[in-house]
Amino acid sequence: MRPILLQGHERSLTQIKYNRDGDLLFSCSKDHVINVWYTHNGERLGTYDGHNGTVWTVDVDSESRFFVSGSADNQLRLWNVATGKCLYTWEFPTAVKRVAFSEDDKQVVCITEQRMGYQCTIRVFNISRIGDGSKQSKEPAHIFNPIGSKATVCAFTSQPSIIFTGHESGKVALFNFKTGEEVDSNERAHSDVVTDLQMSPDKTYCITSSKDKSARVRSLISFDIGILSLSFLCRYTIPKL
């Protein structure tokens, strides 16, 4: 089977993201542009213009109705997938480095960068799906500053109030985003920056990648007390060429 080559960005890619059905692929780049592609033939379906800086991150909801993007222009944007219209924009003091939808599509988590005297901050917004989606709350439902090394990636887990985070130091952790409490962590999960994090469909395990040239699979174990804990499963290392 021949690979499909997608050509639509003028600068390096920062993230790609499939929708839940796997028929659409979203890509973002340092050229300020977001593209969406048909996966079966590589045809570009559309382009989303509006950001004025590197687009670091995107995520799409389970219905492929809305998607969110975060950029170096200090903005988090909510878009209509079908029309390409930007529905709402949140603005922050620093760049948005990671965004993710919750399993039920009712919340979005974002990480803003530690820079210019501002701390790394994690915010969770409630997403209104009423009408066309343009009426959103400006203020986050929850906000906290993760302790220790700054967070680089994050995702919702199967527990309603718990998110998984990866950090600049190589640490991975579980946080209660309602209280800001660190539930569990592994300070030596990686030996360098955690660059990506992807959850399994049932959110029972995840895979993290790092600048230490390894990817690690971790189980998210739920105990009787209803709190998740991290358990290392296996490691993949990129060989030297």
Side-chain angles (χ1 to χ4, degrees):
M1 182 177 178
R2 294 181 59 187
I4 298 172
L5 179 63
L6 308 180
Q7 294 181 308
H9 290 284
E10 297 179 354
R11 297 188 64 190
S12 57
L13 295 176
T14 52
Q15 191 179 15
I16 58 173
K17 191 78 176 183
Y18 284 97
N19 68 339
R20 181 167 294 185
D21 294 332
D23 59 336
L24 298 177
L25 179 68
F26 293 79
S27 62
C28 58
S29 161
K30 290 184 177 181
D31 62 8
H32 308 181
V33 173
I34 305 164
N35 288 325
V36 60
W37 314 79
Y38 286 119
T39 57
H40 71 281
N41 61 7
E43 178 186 351
R44 183 162 57 179
L45 175 60
T47 298
Y48 304 88
D49 294 312
H51 281 296
N52 294 311
T54 295
V55 184
W56 291 114
T57 176
V58 293
D59 195 24
V60 59
D61 70 11
S62 63
E63 299 176 355
S64 299
R65 178 186 175 193
F66 299 142
F67 82 93
V68 285
S69 60
S71 171
D73 62 10
N74 304 349
Q75 292 182 346
L76 165 66
R77 289 183 173 233
L78 178 71
W79 306 79
N80 181 297
V81 172
T83 67
K85 180 182 178 181
C86 179
L87 302 173
Y88 197 85
T89 302
W90 293 268
E91 296 191 2
F92 309 104
T94 59
V96 181
K97 301 301 296 248
R98 191 72 170 195
V99 295
F101 270 101
S102 61
E103 184 71 15
D104 61 5
D105 300 328
K106 293 180 179 179
Q107 291 182 311
V108 164
V109 61
C110 76
I111 297 175
T112 52
E113 192 173 23
Q114 177 180 312
R115 197 172 183 183
M116 300 182 297
Y118 292 96
Q119 289 182 283
C120 171
T121 303
I122 296 178
R123 297 173 175 87
V124 175
F125 291 91
N126 292 330
I127 301 299
S128 171
R129 304 181 68 81
I130 299 172
D132 65 358
S134 62
K135 297 186 183 302
Q136 303 293 333
S137 173
K138 180 180 179 181
E139 298 301 322
H142 308 283
I143 181 172
F144 71 96
N145 304 111
I147 59 176
S149 173
K150 72 178 183 182
T152 53
V153 294
C154 64
F156 287 95
T157 67
S158 60
Q159 295 288 325
S161 60
I162 305 295
I163 58 171
F164 186 99
T165 59
H167 296 253
E168 188 177 52
S169 64
K171 162 186 170 180
V172 296
L174 295 169
F175 282 94
N176 183 321
F177 62 74
K178 292 182 179 180
T179 65
E181 175 191 2
E182 186 178 274
V183 176
D184 194 13
S185 68
N186 183 337
E187 296 285 346
R188 296 188 295 275
H190 287 281
S191 60
D192 208 335
V193 179
V194 180
T195 56
D196 201 8
L197 158 66
Q198 296 296 325
M199 304 291 291
S200 66
D202 63 1
K203 304 205 181 282
T204 58
Y205 63 92
C206 67
I207 185 167
T208 55
S209 63
S210 169
K211 285 187 177 180
D212 66 9
K213 301 179 182 179
S214 73
R216 299 194 176 200
V217 180
R218 297 183 182 278
S219 174
L220 299 174
I221 303 172
S222 181
F223 292 101
D224 293 337
I225 55 176
I227 295 178
L228 297 178
S229 183
L230 302 171
S231 177
F232 174 70
L233 292 178
C234 59
R235 172 180 176 175
Y236 303 92
T237 303
I238 300 174
K240 293 182 178 180
L241 300 178

